[in-house]
Amino acid sequence: MKVTSEKNEKVANMIFASIYPLYLNRLEKNGRTKSEFHRVIEWFTGFNEDELQALIEEKATFRTFFQKAKIHPNAHLIKGVVCGYRIEDIEDEFDLYRQCRRMEKLIDELAKGRKMEKIMRVEKKLY
Protein backbone atom coordinates (compact mmCIF):
# COMPACT_ATOMS: atom_id res chain seq x y z
CA MET A 1 0.00 0.00 0.00
CA LYS A 2 1.05 3.59 -0.57
CA VAL A 3 1.09 6.20 2.19
CA THR A 4 -0.80 9.40 1.36
CA SER A 5 -0.37 12.88 2.80
CA GLU A 6 -3.84 12.54 4.36
CA LYS A 7 -2.92 9.26 6.07
CA ASN A 8 0.37 10.74 7.30
CA GLU A 9 -1.43 13.77 8.76
CA LYS A 10 -4.09 11.62 10.41
CA VAL A 11 -1.42 9.58 12.21
CA ALA A 12 0.66 12.70 13.02
CA ASN A 13 -2.33 14.26 14.82
CA MET A 14 -3.28 11.17 16.85
CA ILE A 15 -2.65 11.47 20.57
CA PHE A 16 0.03 9.02 21.76
CA ALA A 17 -1.69 8.72 25.18
CA SER A 18 -4.85 7.38 23.50
CA ILE A 19 -2.94 4.58 21.74
CA TYR A 20 -0.46 3.74 24.53
CA PRO A 21 -2.99 1.73 26.65
CA LEU A 22 -3.97 -0.30 23.57
CA TYR A 23 -0.32 -1.23 22.97
CA LEU A 24 0.18 -2.08 26.65
CA ASN A 25 -3.03 -4.12 26.87
CA ARG A 26 -2.06 -6.16 23.81
CA LEU A 27 1.37 -6.90 25.26
CA GLU A 28 0.06 -7.85 28.71
CA LYS A 29 -2.51 -10.20 27.11
CA ASN A 30 0.44 -11.92 25.45
CA GLY A 31 2.38 -12.31 28.71
CA ARG A 32 4.75 -9.35 28.25
CA THR A 33 5.29 -6.65 30.85
CA LYS A 34 5.07 -2.88 30.97
CA SER A 35 8.77 -2.89 31.83
CA GLU A 36 9.61 -4.81 28.64
CA PHE A 37 7.41 -2.45 26.61
CA HIS A 38 9.16 0.61 28.06
CA ARG A 39 12.56 -0.96 27.45
CA VAL A 40 11.74 -1.37 23.75
CA ILE A 41 10.30 2.18 23.53
CA GLU A 42 13.42 3.56 25.22
CA TRP A 43 15.70 1.69 22.82
CA PHE A 44 13.75 3.00 19.81
CA THR A 45 13.04 6.60 20.91
CA GLY A 46 15.50 7.37 23.70
CA PHE A 47 12.63 8.25 26.07
CA ASN A 48 13.17 7.09 29.64
CA GLU A 49 10.27 6.28 31.97
CA ASP A 50 9.80 9.89 33.16
CA GLU A 51 9.99 11.39 29.67
CA LEU A 52 7.49 8.86 28.36
CA GLN A 53 5.11 9.60 31.23
CA ALA A 54 5.42 13.35 30.59
CA LEU A 55 4.47 12.85 26.92
CA ILE A 56 1.47 10.79 27.98
CA GLU A 57 0.36 13.42 30.52
CA GLU A 58 0.74 16.31 28.07
CA LYS A 59 -1.28 14.33 25.51
CA ALA A 60 1.43 14.70 22.89
CA THR A 61 0.56 13.90 19.30
CA PHE A 62 2.59 11.35 17.38
CA ARG A 63 4.12 14.34 15.54
CA THR A 64 5.41 15.79 18.82
CA PHE A 65 6.35 12.33 20.10
CA PHE A 66 8.60 11.63 17.10
CA GLN A 67 9.95 15.20 16.89
CA LYS A 68 11.24 14.86 20.46
CA ALA A 69 12.50 11.29 19.99
CA LYS A 70 16.12 10.40 19.39
CA ILE A 71 15.51 7.48 17.04
CA HIS A 72 18.05 4.69 17.50
CA PRO A 73 20.71 4.59 14.77
CA ASN A 74 19.80 0.94 14.05
CA ALA A 75 16.10 1.69 13.49
CA HIS A 76 16.70 1.30 9.73
CA LEU A 77 17.12 -2.42 10.44
CA ILE A 78 13.43 -2.69 11.39
CA LYS A 79 11.84 -4.16 8.29
CA GLY A 80 8.71 -6.02 7.34
CA VAL A 81 5.00 -5.49 6.84
CA VAL A 82 2.73 -3.79 9.37
CA CYS A 83 -0.96 -3.17 8.60
CA GLY A 84 -0.30 -3.81 4.90
CA TYR A 85 2.59 -1.34 4.65
CA ARG A 86 6.13 -2.57 3.93
CA ILE A 87 8.20 -0.37 6.27
CA GLU A 88 11.26 -0.14 4.05
CA ASP A 89 9.10 1.00 1.08
CA ILE A 90 7.55 4.00 2.88
CA GLU A 91 8.84 7.14 1.16
CA ASP A 92 11.18 9.54 2.99
CA GLU A 93 8.58 12.32 2.85
CA PHE A 94 6.44 10.21 5.20
CA ASP A 95 9.15 9.63 7.82
CA LEU A 96 6.74 10.14 10.74
CA TYR A 97 4.47 7.43 9.36
CA ARG A 98 7.49 5.15 8.85
CA GLN A 99 8.63 5.70 12.46
CA CYS A 100 5.13 4.91 13.72
CA ARG A 101 5.07 1.67 11.74
CA ARG A 102 8.55 0.78 12.99
CA MET A 103 7.37 1.20 16.57
CA GLU A 104 4.31 -0.97 15.84
CA LYS A 105 6.59 -3.63 14.33
CA LEU A 106 8.65 -3.69 17.54
CA ILE A 107 5.46 -4.00 19.60
CA ASP A 108 4.24 -6.83 17.33
CA GLU A 109 7.50 -8.69 17.79
CA LEU A 110 7.37 -8.23 21.55
CA ALA A 111 3.77 -9.47 21.66
CA LYS A 112 4.70 -12.53 19.61
CA GLY A 113 7.39 -13.49 22.10
CA ARG A 114 10.50 -12.51 20.18
CA LYS A 115 13.60 -12.19 22.35
CA MET A 116 14.60 -8.68 23.43
CA GLU A 117 18.06 -9.09 21.89
CA LYS A 118 16.44 -9.66 18.48
CA ILE A 119 13.91 -6.83 18.85
CA MET A 120 16.62 -4.30 19.69
CA ARG A 121 18.52 -4.65 16.45
CA VAL A 122 22.30 -4.76 16.30
CA GLU A 123 24.20 -4.03 13.12
CA LYS A 124 26.00 -7.13 11.85
CA LYS A 125 29.76 -6.64 11.76
CA LEU A 126 31.65 -7.69 8.68
CA TYR A 127 35.14 -9.04 9.26
Side-chain angles (χ1 to χ4, degrees):
M1 286 201 285
K2 290 284 253 182
V3 180
T4 62
S5 295
E6 295 78 24
K7 186 77 166 170
N8 191 63
E9 274 306 298
K10 183 178 178 186
V11 169
N13 293 318
M14 290 172 60
I15 306 295
F16 176 74
S18 66
I19 305 300
Y20 173 86
L22 303 175
Y23 290 153
L24 183 58
N25 188 34
R26 175 171 181 227
L27 291 169
E28 288 177 339
K29 273 198 232 175
N30 285 285
R32 301 312 286 252
T33 65
K34 182 177 181 178
S35 171
E36 290 173 310
F37 177 36
H38 285 196
R39 190 169 154 211
V40 169
I41 294 293
E42 184 170 355
W43 174 85
F44 182 57
T45 64
F47 296 134
N48 65 30
E49 193 89 26
D50 293 337
E51 292 166 324
L52 189 59
Q53 190 58 45
L55 288 163
I56 291 168
E57 288 171 12
E58 75 181 50
K59 297 191 179 344
T61 62
F62 274 98
R63 176 178 281 116
T64 301
F65 182 87
F66 285 114
Q67 282 173 343
K68 291 183 175 184
K70 294 172 197 79
I71 300 299
H72 195 281
N74 288 347
H76 69 280
L77 298 172
I78 303 166
K79 299 177 190 283
V81 177
V82 178
C83 298
Y85 293 91
R86 178 157 292 285
I87 295 168
E88 55 272 32
D89 292 345
I90 298 172
E91 296 91 351
D92 289 344
E93 68 182 293
F94 302 121
D95 188 56
L96 181 141
Y97 195 82
R98 183 187 313 132
Q99 299 304 3
C100 192
R101 292 298 177 203
R102 283 177 174 161
M103 186 167 69
E104 288 175 1
K105 181 71 173 171
L106 296 174
I107 292 165
D108 282 352
E109 291 175 353
L110 187 59
K112 290 176 181 171
R114 194 165 195 205
K115 291 182 178 168
M116 294 297 268
E117 303 79 48
K118 296 276 188 189
I119 294 170
M120 296 185 281
R121 270 82 170 164
V122 176
E123 198 102 45
K124 290 187 175 112
K125 293 190 166 100
L126 302 173
Y127 295 95

